[in-house]
Amino acid sequence: MGYQCQVCKFSSFAVSVLNDEQMSTLGNNCAEVYFKKGDIIFKQDSFSLNIGYLKTGLVKLHMRGLAGKEQIIKIAKAPTYLGIPTTIGEKINQYSATAIEDTSVCFVNLDIFNKLILSNPKFSYEIILHMCKNELTHFRNCLYKTQKNSRGLVADTILNFANNIYESSHFFLPLTRNEIADLINSSRESVSRILSEFHNDKIIKLNGKEIEILNLDLLIKISENG
DNA sequence: GCATTAACCACAG
DNA sequence: CTGTGGTTAATGC
């Protein structure tokens, strides 16, 4: 008894390209798991032979570095794959994934995933396309982190949540100030100060974790000039 | 020199 | 977990 991937409304772009047989192979070899906000989905330094497919929810990918310093690599929004690089590239996880909202993930065995890649070029192409876009985003972020100042990076973070993650100018931050600092290589104090500053300057309306963008043009300017 | 930026510390809600 | 104030160090006119 497996899952009916073909009727799952969260089916990925790549899965839609599978034939019936491949689809049922996938359905018979995956398991859906639910995670609460704060739950660890997979952990750095542990062994894994699964690819995750994030069906719903929001996840942070993070890596513990020197002196235990935590760095958030990215915020992953459903639908997307989780852990393709670390599962295919290494047997031991190179980073962790933690739910920052209630989340559901389908785990697919790596062997099955590899068989799909080897047997279906369209599927492989979709995966490559996905990973290329991902890598370009990381190159850009890498550049920004080096070249922008903290204000610009905080502005970027707000814009990312508004434009890409929540698709609304009014949302609740799923991260603490400390986590935002871990995301942009800053300190919790700086993030706190910059957010208050944006609030006082009427660029955003800030109430704890609640953010409403009041002056989008200015925010974009800060992002571009910062 | 003087200004800016931001990290680190401490302490208070 | 946050917000602020003081301090300190680096960098750039």
Side-chain angles (χ1 to χ4, degrees), chain A residues 84-167:
Chain A
I84 293 182
T86 194
T87 299
I88 294 186
E90 302 271 353
K91 291 291 167 265
I92 303 294
N93 286 328
Q94 299 299 114
Y95 52 88
S96 303
T98 302
I100 55 177
E101 282 177 1
D102 291 357
T103 279
S104 69
V105 179
C106 272
F107 288 102
V108 186
N109 181 278
L110 177 61
D111 285 341
I112 303 294
F113 193 81
N114 280 338
K115 283 201 182 89
L116 292 179
I117 286 180
L118 292 172
S119 63
N120 188 325
K122 284 184 180 164
F123 181 77
S124 312
Y125 178 75
E126 292 297 330
I127 299 296
I128 290 172
L129 190 61
H130 178 254
M131 298 197 63
C132 285
K133 286 183 176 173
N134 230 2
E135 184 156 350
L136 288 175
T137 304
H138 283 294
F139 283 0
R140 236 184 337 263
N141 285 151
C142 201
L143 192 77
Y144 291 161
K145 275 187 202 174
T146 327
Q147 299 189 345
K148 289 192 184 189
N149 64 21
S150 298
R151 290 180 88 234
L153 292 169
V154 171
D156 278 355
T157 305
I158 296 171
L159 288 170
N160 184 37
F161 278 121
N163 297 336
N164 306 133
I165 309 235
Y166 293 118
E167 293 172 39

Side-chain angles (χ1 to χ4, degrees), chain A residues 1-137:
Chain A
M1 192 351 252
Y3 292 85
Q4 300 270 302
C5 293
Q6 55 268 61
V7 298
C8 170
K9 65 172 174 167
F10 304 108
S11 251
S12 82
F13 42 89
V15 163
S16 65
V17 109
L18 298 176
N19 65 33
D20 287 349
E21 188 202 334
Q22 291 164 335
M23 194 74 94
S24 73
T25 304
L26 186 63
N28 289 328
N29 288 282
C30 70
E32 185 172 3
V33 184
Y34 297 92
F35 296 93
K36 288 284 187 193
K37 184 183 170 95
D39 288 348
I40 295 168
I41 297 167
F42 57 79
K43 205 170 169 25
Q44 183 174 349
D45 298 328
S46 66
F47 181 76
S48 168
L49 283 176
N50 292 112
I51 302 287
Y53 182 70
L54 178 60
K55 280 174 73 176
T56 58
L58 212 57
V59 168
K60 67 169 178 178
L61 302 181
H62 51 115
M63 212 163 173
R64 191 175 298 283
L66 268 43
K69 287 279 182 207
E70 194 79 2
Q71 165 102 63
I72 296 180
I73 309 301
K74 70 173 288 190
I75 305 298
K77 179 199 179 185
T80 185
Y81 287 98
L82 294 176
I84 293 182
T86 194
T87 299
I88 294 186
E90 302 271 353
K91 291 291 167 265
I92 303 294
N93 286 328
Q94 299 299 114
Y95 52 88
S96 303
T98 302
I100 55 177
E101 282 177 1
D102 291 357
T103 279
S104 69
V105 179
C106 272
F107 288 102
V108 186
N109 181 278
L110 177 61
D111 285 341
I112 303 294
F113 193 81
N114 280 338
K115 283 201 182 89
L116 292 179
I117 286 180
L118 292 172
S119 63
N120 188 325
K122 284 184 180 164
F123 181 77
S124 312
Y125 178 75
E126 292 297 330
I127 299 296
I128 290 172
L129 190 61
H130 178 254
M131 298 197 63
C132 285
K133 286 183 176 173
N134 230 2
E135 184 156 350
L136 288 175
T137 304

Side-chain angles (χ1 to χ4, degrees), chain A residues 135-220:
Chain A
E135 184 156 350
L136 288 175
T137 304
H138 283 294
F139 283 0
R140 236 184 337 263
N141 285 151
C142 201
L143 192 77
Y144 291 161
K145 275 187 202 174
T146 327
Q147 299 189 345
K148 289 192 184 189
N149 64 21
S150 298
R151 290 180 88 234
L153 292 169
V154 171
D156 278 355
T157 305
I158 296 171
L159 288 170
N160 184 37
F161 278 121
N163 297 336
N164 306 133
I165 309 235
Y166 293 118
E167 293 172 39
S168 163
S169 62
H170 183 199
F171 59 89
F172 286 83
L173 281 172
L175 301 177
T176 66
R177 310 286 138 117
N178 215 336
E179 287 174 314
I180 297 172
D182 289 341
L183 181 65
I184 64 173
N185 299 321
S186 181
S187 66
R188 123 185 182 256
E189 293 96 323
S190 295
V191 171
S192 197
R193 257 187 271 261
I194 291 164
L195 285 175
S196 303
E197 186 189 318
F198 285 175
H199 175 78
N200 293 331
D201 294 346
K202 306 260 188 284
I203 298 164
I204 60 172
K205 186 165 163 232
L206 180 68
N207 180 18
K209 299 232 161 118
E210 185 182 7
I211 285 186
E212 189 180 350
I213 297 175
L214 300 178
N215 191 337
L216 183 61
D217 293 343
L218 228 189
L219 199 59
I220 290 170

